[in-house]
Amino acid sequence: MSREHRPVWERRPGRAPGEPPRVIVVGAGIGGLSTGAYAQMSGAETRIFERHVLPGGCCTAWSRQDYVFDYCIEWLTGTGRNNDAARLWRELGALDGKTVAHFEMFNTVTDETGRSVTFYNDPDRLEAHLLELSPADARPIRAFCRDLRRFIGINLYPFLTPPPLQSPREKLRTLRAVLPSFVTLWRTAATRMETFCARFQDPLLRRAFPFIFFQDHEVFPLLPYLFNMASAYHHNAGFPQGGSLGLARSVEERYLGLGGRIDYRSRVERVLVEDDRAVGVELRGGERHYADHVVSACDGATTLQGLLGGRYASPRTDRLFTELAEEPDQLYPGVVSAFVGLKDELDPAARHSTTYLLSEADARALPGCMQNSLVVQLRSRYSDGFAPPGKSVVHCTYFSDYASWKQLRRTDRKAYWARKQEVADFVRGFLERHHPGIGRAIEVVDVASPTTTERYTGVRGGSILGWKSFTPADDVITGLINKDRLRLPGLDGFTLAGQWFGGGSLIRAAASGRFAVQYLCRDLGLEFRAWESGGTEPWHPGKLGRLPQLEKRRVT
């Protein structure tokens, strides 16, 4: 909606009896869309202001030459049925009318010599495969697969209600789910993956296990690996049709269908505060909109230092953004993505996802490469519509240092583009080495750096996932949700949501919106309500809408 035709939410003297409360949400990422949808379901009148032209934040896509480059989702927790994560997505309409792609393995890891290990989700198949690779490692192999079988029997997805608001019945249900598996959960949460890997004699297995999730998450214990592999076994960690932007578009459609509205190209400059109460927002250009409550679901540092001018904080937000943000291993690094459009079909026998452990020479040649690894995903296998008929898309990613990309773009734009070209050239050569003949089929290569992510989404440091789980930051976020109730002391009428305050994954970002509305319903005198969308219209690629091109200039 253009500014010329956008009505202003004027200040009103007071809410009349029966008049719905107004809620402004800053940011149309998954956390913001979730907040808006649940507030609409609960009887509020909401409005979302978004700086970009698309919903979803980092959950996005863009196009080149009729190819769709899907940026975010590798798997989505909650694509199945009969668990809380699935219920949340179905309340938000995220999976309406969609098929879901499920894969029999999470990832394949290949070392410099060509040896490979495949991480099947079926524990029996995984155990047989690993024992064939390294019979000498029977003890740790059987231990891991035994735990995977135990996790397959666990169905715990606490994404519906924050603990302070759970009824005695809900708490009892959670307790019953946790107690039988408490020892397994505690032990696997206390065992670092790197500690477990030291038990392997085979060098490939010792190096490969941390890359089950494509890149080494470094601080993770065993628990999340087992949890997600078990979810995939149950078809509860698949890839939804339409991918990342498709997910955002579906939640956007659900929100708009509930009567909400989104103003795109509308950058919020500050939150309006009177007598320590948030009363509205001011947009770039000076336009002001007033509401009974404001929810910020955008970048965390932008919220605290930009929108609020550094005037309000809590011990927990101070710990997150002034202490932990500067410590190593608390934030996910930035990501470099190289999308490759091919004019041919992909080899049907090729794995859908492979992490290649790079030689020292290759790692030096790949600009800003961390962890000496490159992930290659055959994205055309994930969903229809990512490539024109008869063509394919490959997505190559690696963790990379944000600061070096940022400095180069700020000081030497020509060198910045030359560095992107180095990535494109490396990817072309690397794919040709591992898939001979593929070079002749490449039509386009598009490279996005961590600074690209920051520029188009506003996310701090180009970090798609934000805070790492199983770190002190995770504990602080738990306190922010359960103790502070997503509020800042001394500031009324204001709530926090999104990945920076609810945790760094799509399901946790969506849950933060649900939690935020459950808390604010009490303040606004509303009954929290939620129900599944039930939409049945089949998904099709046209629902993605018009896709932008992130850069006018491109690598070749």
Side-chain angles (χ1 to χ4, degrees):
M1 179 175 291
S2 67
R3 296 191 177 207
E4 292 78 8
H5 300 93
R6 181 173 60 207
V8 174
W9 271 13
E10 304 281 359
R11 184 193 297 271
R12 57 188 182 185
R15 185 154 47 101
E19 188 177 20
R22 289 177 175 174
V23 177
I24 285 175
V25 181
V26 183
I30 295 301
L33 292 170
S34 171
T35 301
Y38 284 114
Q40 287 290 141
M41 283 188 258
S42 300
E45 182 183 1
T46 68
R47 191 165 178 178
I48 299 176
F49 292 100
E50 167 59 43
R51 59 182 279 177
H52 196 23
V53 298
L54 296 174
C58 290
C59 191
T60 192
W62 61 93
S63 66
R64 288 275 193 221
Q65 297 179 205
D66 296 325
Y67 293 98
V68 175
F69 296 151
D70 187 78
Y71 187 56
C72 176
I73 297 177
E74 292 171 320
W75 79 92
L76 184 71
T77 299
T79 56
R81 291 279 186 179
N82 303 318
N83 61 75
D84 287 355
R87 177 178 160 186
L88 189 150
W89 288 128
R90 294 178 193 282
E91 289 174 350
L92 294 176
L95 303 177
D96 285 357
K98 294 180 178 179
T99 59
V100 177
H102 299 286
F103 299 103
E104 61 184 359
M105 75 283 291
F106 236 104
N107 192 31
T108 293
V109 180
T110 300
D111 70 10
E112 308 91 325
T113 69
R115 287 189 73 213
S116 294
V117 55
T118 297
F119 291 98
Y120 296 102
N121 301 314
D122 182 293
D124 295 337
R125 188 174 182 186
L126 176 64
E127 184 172 318
H129 173 61
L130 296 178
L131 288 173
E132 183 180 3
L133 284 172
S134 180
D137 287 310
R139 179 171 291 185
I141 288 170
R142 291 198 170 106
F144 185 86
C145 294
R146 184 167 55 246
D147 279 337
L148 179 55
R149 293 184 184 95
R150 289 169 176 158
F151 269 81
I152 286 172
I154 299 173
N155 186 27
L156 184 62
Y157 299 88
F159 298 118
L160 290 181
T161 306
L165 298 183
Q166 289 179 1
S167 66
R169 184 175 181 179
E170 288 175 309
K171 291 179 180 178
L172 181 59
R173 187 186 69 167
T174 301
L175 191 63
R176 284 176 173 170
V178 170
L179 277 180
S181 308
F182 176 78
V183 173
T184 298
L185 293 170
W186 177 85
R187 176 174 51 77
T188 55
T191 304
R192 290 270 296 257
M193 174 57 89
E194 63 181 22
T195 302
F196 177 75
C197 287
R199 299 166 59 184
F200 288 107
Q201 297 180 38
D202 185 279
L204 174 61
L205 297 189
R206 191 164 55 245
R207 296 172 63 198
F209 261 76
F211 290 87
I212 293 174
F213 293 166
F214 317 117
Q215 295 275 223
D216 182 358
H217 290 256
E218 295 177 333
V219 298
F220 271 17
L222 287 175
L223 186 149
Y225 295 95
L226 295 161
F227 173 86
N228 283 292
M229 292 177 76
S231 294
Y233 176 85
H234 285 302
H235 288 181
N236 197 48
F239 189 90
Q241 188 181 16
S244 306
L245 183 58
L247 185 88
R249 285 296 195 194
S250 291
V251 181
E252 175 197 47
E253 183 177 355
R254 170 66 162 155
Y255 169 66
L256 296 175
L258 290 164
R261 61 177 298 161
I262 305 176
D263 292 88
Y264 290 107
R265 297 187 180 91
S266 299
R267 184 168 186 155
V268 174
E269 289 288 295
R270 67 187 182 104
V271 173
L272 301 174
V273 178
E274 296 177 1
D275 298 324
D276 293 324
R277 183 174 188 85
V279 297
V281 298
E282 180 175 301
L283 307 184
R284 175 174 286 182
E287 187 175 285
R288 293 186 172 191
H289 296 264
Y290 293 89
D292 301 288
H293 203 97
V294 176
V295 179
S296 181
C298 65
D299 176 72
T302 299
T303 296
L304 298 169
Q305 299 302 319
L307 304 187
L308 295 173
R311 290 174 294 166
Y312 299 94
S314 71
R316 289 186 176 87
T317 58
D318 281 342
R319 174 115 168 90
L320 283 173
F321 292 97
T322 63
E323 297 178 33
L324 295 179
E326 304 303 323
E327 293 184 8
D329 293 331
Q330 302 301 311
L331 283 168
Y332 281 100
V335 173
V336 173
S337 288
F339 289 94
V340 181
L342 305 171
K343 61 184 178 182
D344 291 338
E345 297 274 6
L346 294 167
D347 179 0
R351 302 295 195 193
H352 77 283
S353 177
T354 301
T355 296
Y356 291 94
L357 304 179
L358 303 179
S359 66
E360 289 295 333
D362 275 344
R364 285 193 302 270
L366 187 56
C369 178
M370 300 169 65
Q371 299 187 348
N372 289 13
S373 61
L374 179 70
V375 183
V376 177
Q377 295 181 329
L378 312 185
R379 297 297 274 191
S380 305
R381 299 271 180 83
Y382 289 64
S383 178
D384 59 307
F386 287 169
K391 298 184 179 184
S392 311
V393 171
V394 176
H395 186 197
C396 303
T397 59
Y398 61 96
F399 283 149
S400 185
D401 174 46
Y402 161 80
S404 63
W405 286 96
K406 181 70 172 181
Q407 178 67 15
L408 198 60
R409 190 179 190 280
R410 181 190 296 121
T411 60
D412 191 340
R413 194 69 58 86
K414 185 176 180 180
Y416 171 77
W417 276 98
R419 197 181 200 204
K420 277 194 169 189
Q421 187 65 57
E422 286 181 50
V423 174
D425 292 343
F426 178 91
V427 166
R428 282 175 177 272
F430 189 84
L431 291 177
E432 177 65 28
R433 260 191 283 154
H434 290 271
H435 302 274
I438 199 173
R440 294 189 297 274
I442 294 177
E443 289 191 312
V444 60
V445 180
D446 196 83
V447 177
S449 76
T451 60
T452 310
T453 304
E454 183 180 60
R455 289 173 56 222
Y456 284 93
T457 68
V459 70
R460 178 190 180 107
S463 179
I464 298 174
L465 288 172
W467 307 108
K468 288 185 178 180
S469 299
F470 303 97
T471 64
D474 211 20
D475 295 334
V476 176
I477 288 172
T478 299
L480 189 63
I481 295 170
N482 296 340
K483 302 293 185 182
D484 296 349
R485 304 194 173 200
L486 294 169
R487 301 293 178 83
L488 295 173
L491 180 61
D492 294 328
F494 186 80
T495 296
L496 305 164
Q499 71 171 29
W500 292 99
F501 304 107
S505 68
L506 288 175
I507 187 64
R508 292 183 68 177
S512 77
R514 201 180 199 274
F515 293 172
V517 174
Q518 287 172 304
Y519 284 135
L520 71 84
C521 275
R522 295 197 165 195
D523 290 352
L524 298 175
L526 299 173
E527 177 187 358
F528 178 79
R529 292 181 294 170
W531 60 89
E532 291 193 12
S533 168
T536 58
E537 180 186 355
W539 169 266
H540 56 84
K543 284 180 172 284
L544 292 176
R546 184 176 180 273
L547 297 181
Q549 294 191 11
L550 291 192
E551 305 277 9
K552 292 182 179 179
R553 182 174 176 177
R554 65 185 66 181
V555 295
T556 58

XYZ file of all heavy atoms in Angstrom, residues 74 106-110 214-215 336 338-340 342 346 350-358 366 373-382 393-398 426-428 430-432 434-435 438:
416
model
N 15.901 -25.289 5.501
C 16.535 -26.546 5.120
C 15.668 -27.715 5.564
O 15.591 -28.733 4.900
C 17.950 -26.633 5.709
C 18.888 -25.609 5.052
C 20.231 -25.503 5.726
O 20.271 -25.537 6.984
O 21.234 -25.373 5.018
N 19.328 -37.082 6.476
C 19.486 -35.663 6.738
C 20.545 -35.059 5.824
O 20.329 -34.035 5.194
C 19.875 -35.429 8.208
C 18.941 -34.506 8.919
C 18.004 -34.996 9.799
C 18.970 -33.145 8.696
C 17.118 -34.157 10.446
C 18.093 -32.292 9.338
C 17.163 -32.802 10.213
N 21.678 -35.723 5.743
C 22.796 -35.141 5.011
C 23.816 -36.229 4.729
O 23.880 -37.248 5.429
C 23.433 -34.023 5.855
C 24.405 -33.165 5.082
O 24.247 -32.967 3.882
N 25.418 -32.645 5.759
N 24.615 -36.019 3.691
C 25.780 -36.851 3.405
C 27.022 -35.989 3.587
O 27.023 -34.818 3.193
C 25.721 -37.410 1.968
O 24.630 -38.331 1.864
C 27.014 -38.138 1.614
N 28.045 -36.541 4.209
C 29.296 -35.813 4.408
C 30.400 -36.547 3.650
O 30.590 -37.759 3.820
C 29.655 -35.692 5.898
C 30.968 -34.918 6.066
C 28.531 -34.999 6.667
N 31.127 -35.806 2.812
C 32.176 -36.372 1.972
C 33.497 -35.670 2.276
O 33.553 -34.434 2.306
C 31.834 -36.191 0.478
O 30.595 -36.852 0.199
C 32.930 -36.753 -0.410
N 24.446 -30.081 8.251
C 25.035 -29.363 7.113
C 26.314 -28.618 7.475
O 27.313 -28.724 6.790
C 24.018 -28.405 6.483
C 22.656 -29.020 6.345
C 21.567 -28.523 7.012
C 22.479 -30.141 5.557
C 20.311 -29.116 6.900
C 21.239 -30.753 5.434
C 20.153 -30.232 6.108
N 26.288 -27.776 8.516
C 27.498 -27.132 9.017
C 27.652 -27.505 10.484
O 26.675 -27.853 11.159
C 27.413 -25.597 8.891
C 27.341 -25.093 7.465
C 28.696 -24.935 6.785
O 28.955 -23.974 6.102
N 29.574 -25.905 6.940
N 27.402 -17.257 3.482
C 27.519 -16.934 2.059
C 26.726 -17.978 1.287
O 26.870 -19.184 1.510
C 28.986 -16.936 1.597
C 29.064 -16.780 0.075
C 29.764 -15.826 2.277
N 25.664 -19.249 -2.603
C 25.872 -19.185 -4.052
C 24.809 -20.067 -4.704
O 24.804 -21.289 -4.531
C 27.266 -19.662 -4.427
N 23.869 -19.436 -5.387
C 22.826 -20.168 -6.100
C 23.257 -20.367 -7.547
O 23.737 -19.438 -8.200
C 21.510 -19.391 -6.064
C 20.853 -19.370 -4.717
C 21.073 -18.315 -3.842
C 19.999 -20.392 -4.326
C 20.462 -18.283 -2.602
C 19.382 -20.357 -3.089
C 19.611 -19.310 -2.227
N 23.050 -21.578 -8.033
C 23.465 -21.926 -9.390
C 22.249 -22.418 -10.166
O 21.584 -23.382 -9.754
C 24.557 -23.014 -9.375
C 25.009 -23.346 -10.789
C 25.742 -22.573 -8.513
N 20.857 -24.204 -13.481
C 21.341 -25.140 -14.499
C 20.269 -25.357 -15.560
O 19.086 -25.523 -15.235
C 21.690 -26.494 -13.867
C 22.691 -26.493 -12.704
C 22.743 -27.876 -12.068
C 24.059 -26.077 -13.196
N 18.889 -32.459 -12.850
C 19.913 -33.008 -11.972
C 19.932 -34.529 -12.060
O 18.918 -35.164 -12.367
C 19.628 -32.583 -10.533
C 19.744 -31.084 -10.233
C 19.138 -30.764 -8.878
C 21.190 -30.641 -10.287
N 21.931 -38.494 -7.447
C 22.737 -37.641 -6.568
C 21.994 -37.349 -5.270
O 20.768 -37.201 -5.249
C 23.092 -36.346 -7.275
N 22.736 -37.264 -4.166
C 22.146 -36.939 -2.867
C 21.572 -35.521 -2.889
O 22.150 -34.618 -3.499
C 23.199 -37.016 -1.763
C 23.882 -38.361 -1.620
C 22.905 -39.438 -1.184
N 23.583 -40.619 -0.705
C 22.976 -41.787 -0.491
N 21.678 -41.902 -0.734
N 23.651 -42.818 -0.040
N 20.467 -35.321 -2.172
C 19.850 -33.992 -2.166
C 20.683 -32.986 -1.400
O 20.603 -31.781 -1.649
C 18.436 -34.059 -1.583
C 18.391 -34.170 -0.095
N 18.643 -35.349 0.575
C 18.139 -33.247 0.872
C 18.539 -35.149 1.880
N 18.232 -33.893 2.091
N 21.507 -33.467 -0.450
C 22.335 -32.556 0.350
C 23.644 -33.235 0.712
O 23.649 -34.373 1.202
C 21.597 -32.150 1.631
O 22.408 -31.328 2.446
N 24.750 -32.530 0.455
C 26.071 -33.057 0.784
C 26.929 -31.941 1.359
O 26.990 -30.842 0.798
C 26.780 -33.622 -0.457
O 25.985 -34.663 -1.038
C 28.152 -34.193 -0.087
N 27.567 -32.222 2.485
C 28.589 -31.324 3.014
C 29.952 -31.873 2.610
O 30.292 -33.015 2.933
C 28.517 -31.216 4.542
O 27.272 -30.627 4.914
C 29.652 -30.349 5.073
N 30.712 -31.062 1.897
C 32.054 -31.454 1.468
C 33.068 -30.868 2.448
O 33.081 -29.653 2.687
C 32.336 -30.947 0.056
C 31.515 -31.640 -1.007
C 30.317 -31.091 -1.441
C 31.953 -32.840 -1.571
C 29.553 -31.728 -2.419
C 31.188 -33.477 -2.555
C 29.994 -32.920 -2.968
O 29.246 -33.554 -3.934
N 33.900 -31.724 3.022
C 34.998 -31.279 3.880
C 36.155 -30.902 2.962
O 36.668 -31.738 2.220
C 35.395 -32.395 4.842
C 34.243 -32.938 5.717
C 34.740 -34.068 6.615
C 33.617 -31.829 6.549
N 36.541 -29.653 2.997
C 37.475 -29.119 2.015
C 38.932 -29.349 2.411
O 39.284 -29.356 3.592
C 37.241 -27.619 1.843
C 35.838 -27.177 1.426
C 35.779 -25.660 1.339
C 35.434 -27.812 0.105
N 38.361 -20.341 -1.062
C 36.962 -19.943 -0.900
C 36.904 -18.747 0.042
O 37.164 -18.884 1.241
C 36.149 -21.118 -0.358
C 34.635 -20.948 -0.279
C 34.046 -20.587 -1.631
C 33.992 -22.226 0.253
N 34.506 -26.176 4.988
C 33.440 -27.028 4.463
C 32.523 -26.222 3.557
O 32.408 -24.998 3.688
C 32.634 -27.653 5.601
O 32.020 -26.638 6.393
N 31.851 -26.939 2.645
C 30.905 -26.327 1.724
C 29.697 -27.259 1.609
O 29.848 -28.455 1.350
C 31.535 -26.120 0.343
C 30.636 -25.509 -0.737
C 30.356 -24.046 -0.435
C 31.290 -25.657 -2.114
N 28.510 -26.701 1.786
C 27.275 -27.472 1.675
C 26.717 -27.292 0.268
O 26.588 -26.167 -0.214
C 26.228 -27.019 2.709
C 24.973 -27.894 2.620
C 26.802 -27.060 4.117
N 26.378 -28.405 -0.386
C 25.792 -28.363 -1.724
C 24.434 -29.060 -1.663
O 24.354 -30.261 -1.391
C 26.697 -29.052 -2.761
C 26.029 -29.055 -4.134
C 28.055 -28.351 -2.827
N 23.372 -28.287 -1.908
C 22.012 -28.818 -1.855
C 21.358 -28.705 -3.232
O 21.412 -27.648 -3.864
C 21.170 -28.058 -0.827
C 21.673 -28.244 0.601
C 20.807 -27.510 1.611
O 20.237 -26.477 1.307
N 20.729 -28.057 2.814
N 20.737 -29.781 -3.668
C 20.044 -29.813 -4.954
C 18.613 -29.336 -4.715
O 17.692 -30.122 -4.530
C 20.081 -31.225 -5.543
C 21.470 -31.896 -5.545
C 21.405 -33.240 -6.267
C 22.521 -30.986 -6.190
N 18.425 -28.007 -4.708
C 17.174 -27.427 -4.228
C 15.985 -27.758 -5.117
O 14.838 -27.676 -4.661
C 17.329 -25.914 -4.119
C 18.352 -25.474 -3.127
C 18.006 -25.879 -1.713
N 17.137 -24.908 -1.057
C 16.857 -24.904 0.241
N 17.375 -25.825 1.024
N 16.062 -24.005 0.759
N 16.196 -28.109 -6.365
C 15.065 -28.484 -7.220
C 14.364 -29.735 -6.708
O 13.220 -29.995 -7.071
C 15.543 -28.722 -8.653
O 16.229 -27.589 -9.145
N 15.055 -30.514 -5.878
C 14.452 -31.720 -5.308
C 13.503 -31.379 -4.155
O 12.718 -32.214 -3.736
C 15.548 -32.634 -4.749
C 16.534 -33.115 -5.756
C 16.064 -34.436 -6.403
N 17.058 -34.867 -7.374
C 18.157 -35.548 -7.055
N 18.395 -35.857 -5.797
N 19.005 -35.914 -7.990
N 13.601 -30.167 -3.626
C 12.872 -29.813 -2.420
C 11.432 -29.390 -2.717
O 10.528 -29.655 -1.923
C 13.589 -28.678 -1.692
C 14.897 -29.062 -1.037
C 15.989 -29.480 -1.795
C 15.052 -28.993 0.335
C 17.185 -29.828 -1.202
C 16.252 -29.340 0.946
C 17.318 -29.753 0.169
O 18.506 -30.101 0.766
N 18.141 -26.073 -9.828
C 18.813 -25.093 -8.963
C 19.664 -25.830 -7.941
O 19.202 -26.790 -7.311
C 17.807 -24.184 -8.231
C 18.519 -23.332 -7.177
C 17.088 -23.279 -9.211
N 20.902 -25.384 -7.788
C 21.806 -25.885 -6.748
C 22.116 -24.728 -5.801
O 22.339 -23.597 -6.252
C 23.116 -26.432 -7.359
C 24.090 -26.848 -6.264
C 22.810 -27.615 -8.275
N 22.110 -25.006 -4.502
C 22.388 -23.981 -3.490
C 23.641 -24.393 -2.720
O 23.669 -25.452 -2.086
C 21.197 -23.856 -2.534
C 21.317 -22.747 -1.549
N 20.541 -22.682 -0.404
C 22.115 -21.651 -1.513
C 20.845 -21.596 0.281
N 21.800 -20.955 -0.367
N 24.685 -23.576 -2.796
C 25.939 -23.836 -2.093
C 26.097 -22.812 -0.970
O 25.956 -21.608 -1.215
C 27.123 -23.739 -3.045
S 27.010 -24.858 -4.462
N 26.378 -23.276 0.247
C 26.484 -22.364 1.389
C 27.683 -22.702 2.259
O 28.157 -23.850 2.282
C 25.226 -22.423 2.273
O 25.039 -23.772 2.757
C 23.990 -21.998 1.514
N 28.152 -21.683 2.985
C 29.166 -21.910 4.011
C 29.136 -20.764 5.009
O 28.739 -19.643 4.688
C 30.569 -22.069 3.406
C 31.090 -20.879 2.629
C 31.927 -19.925 3.230
C 30.798 -20.705 1.282
C 32.434 -18.848 2.517
C 31.301 -19.635 0.550
C 32.117 -18.707 1.175
O 32.623 -17.635 0.461
N 34.842 -20.180 -7.750
C 35.172 -21.377 -6.983
C 34.050 -22.405 -7.100
O 34.304 -23.598 -7.327
C 35.403 -21.041 -5.513
C 35.714 -22.246 -4.659
C 37.021 -22.642 -4.459
C 34.698 -23.005 -4.094
C 37.317 -23.774 -3.698
C 34.974 -24.126 -3.329
C 36.293 -24.515 -3.135
N 32.814 -21.954 -6.925
C 31.669 -22.872 -6.965
C 31.569 -23.547 -8.332
O 31.321 -24.757 -8.433
C 30.376 -22.113 -6.602
C 29.137 -22.933 -6.968
C 30.366 -21.784 -5.111
N 31.763 -22.780 -9.399
C 31.740 -23.375 -10.740
C 32.768 -24.501 -10.860
O 32.467 -25.613 -11.314
C 32.043 -22.310 -11.792
C 30.878 -21.378 -12.127
C 31.349 -20.298 -13.094
N 30.266 -19.424 -13.506
C 29.467 -19.650 -14.538
N 29.635 -20.743 -15.264
N 28.511 -18.802 -14.855
N 34.334 -26.134 -8.443
C 34.121 -27.204 -7.480
C 33.025 -28.150 -7.970
O 33.170 -29.385 -7.904
C 33.738 -26.612 -6.123
C 33.702 -27.616 -5.010
C 34.860 -27.972 -4.335
C 32.501 -28.214 -4.643
C 34.829 -28.913 -3.310
C 32.462 -29.148 -3.622
C 33.615 -29.496 -2.946
N 31.909 -27.595 -8.447
C 30.826 -28.432 -8.951
C 31.283 -29.249 -10.160
O 30.900 -30.418 -10.314
C 29.619 -27.576 -9.321
C 28.870 -26.914 -8.160
C 27.736 -26.042 -8.686
C 28.326 -27.955 -7.191
N 32.096 -28.667 -11.021
C 32.600 -29.392 -12.188
C 33.469 -30.570 -11.763
O 33.419 -31.657 -12.370
C 33.381 -28.445 -13.100
C 34.009 -29.097 -14.318
C 32.982 -29.653 -15.290
O 31.853 -29.122 -15.351
O 33.311 -30.648 -15.983
N 33.216 -32.318 -8.998
C 32.428 -33.375 -8.361
C 31.285 -33.868 -9.236
O 30.745 -34.953 -8.985
C 31.895 -32.875 -7.024
C 32.961 -32.715 -5.985
N 33.341 -33.743 -5.147
C 33.758 -31.657 -5.677
C 34.317 -33.319 -4.349
N 34.588 -32.062 -4.647
N 30.908 -33.080 -10.227
C 29.861 -33.483 -11.177
C 30.349 -33.129 -12.579
O 29.931 -32.120 -13.143
C 28.542 -32.775 -10.870
C 28.034 -33.017 -9.478
N 27.258 -34.109 -9.144
C 28.187 -32.297 -8.328
C 26.953 -34.051 -7.857
N 27.516 -32.966 -7.342
N 28.941 -30.558 -15.511
C 27.898 -29.652 -15.031
C 28.196 -28.200 -15.411
O 27.285 -27.382 -15.561
C 27.733 -29.787 -13.491
C 26.364 -29.221 -13.052
C 28.852 -29.078 -12.743
C 26.061 -29.464 -11.581
